[in-house]
C-alpha cells in the first residue's frame, strides 16, 4: 500500500498532474494510486480541530517523477514532503486529502 497526503490544489500540466504534499508511506516511481480520499475540517472550528474523511473517489495515477529539495528521486520516505508528477486519470483529485493505492 502507498499513501500520499495532498496539501495543495493539484495542477494539470499537459498529460501530467503535479501534486504537492507529504508521504504517508514510503513511495517510489512506478507506484500507482487508485483512489482519492477527501479530508475536511469538522464543523466547530476550534483550535486543534478534528479532520474527517469523505468517501473515496476512484483515480488511476502512476508516479512518474518525485521532486524534493531541488532533486529528482526514485523513492522517498514516509513523513517527508515532495512534489509528485503523476500520469493517468485524476479528474477526482481534490485540494486536501489522501491519494491511496
Amino acid at each position: 500500500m502507498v499513501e500520499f497526503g495532498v496539501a495543495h490544489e493539484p495542477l494539470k500540466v499537459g498529460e501530467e498532474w503535479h501534486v504537492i504534499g507529504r508521504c504517508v508511506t514510503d513511495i517510489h516511481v512506478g507506484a500507482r494510486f487508485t483512489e482519492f480520499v477527501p479530508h475536511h475540517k469538522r464543523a466547530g472550528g476550534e483550535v486543534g480541530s478534528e479532520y474527517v474523511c469523505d468517501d473515496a473517489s476512484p483515480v488511476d495515477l502512476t508516479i512518474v517523477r518525485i521532486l524534493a529539495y531541488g532533486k529528482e528521486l526514485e523513492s522517498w520516505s514516509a513523513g517527508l514532503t515532495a512534489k509528485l508528477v503523476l500520469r493517468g486519470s485524476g479528474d477526482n483529485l481534490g485540494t486536501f486529502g489522501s491519494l491511496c493505492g
Side-chain angles (χ1 to χ4, degrees):
M1 180 184 152
V2 292
E3 185 175 349
F4 185 80
V6 178
H8 298 279
E9 184 172 352
L11 176 64
K12 186 158 188 189
V13 179
E15 297 294 315
E16 299 174 333
W17 288 93
H18 293 229
V19 180
I20 297 171
R22 183 176 303 273
C23 302
V24 177
T25 64
D26 293 350
I27 61 170
H28 59 88
V29 171
R32 185 171 164 232
F33 298 110
T34 57
E35 60 184 19
F36 175 73
V37 180
H39 299 183
H40 70 275
K41 189 185 284 189
R42 179 169 281 173
E46 297 179 22
V47 174
S49 297
E50 182 180 347
Y51 287 86
V52 294
C53 299
D54 293 328
D55 292 336
S57 298
V59 296
D60 186 7
L61 295 165
T62 301
I63 300 172
V64 293
R65 293 172 57 200
I66 301 170
L67 306 166
Y69 304 101
K71 298 179 181 179
E72 186 166 340
L73 308 154
E74 288 296 313
S75 61
W76 204 226
S77 299
L80 301 175
T81 59
K83 175 179 176 178
L84 301 184
V85 178
L86 309 167
R87 283 212 182 121
S89 173
D91 292 333
N92 290 330
L93 283 176
T95 302
F96 187 65
S98 293
L99 279 167
C100 302

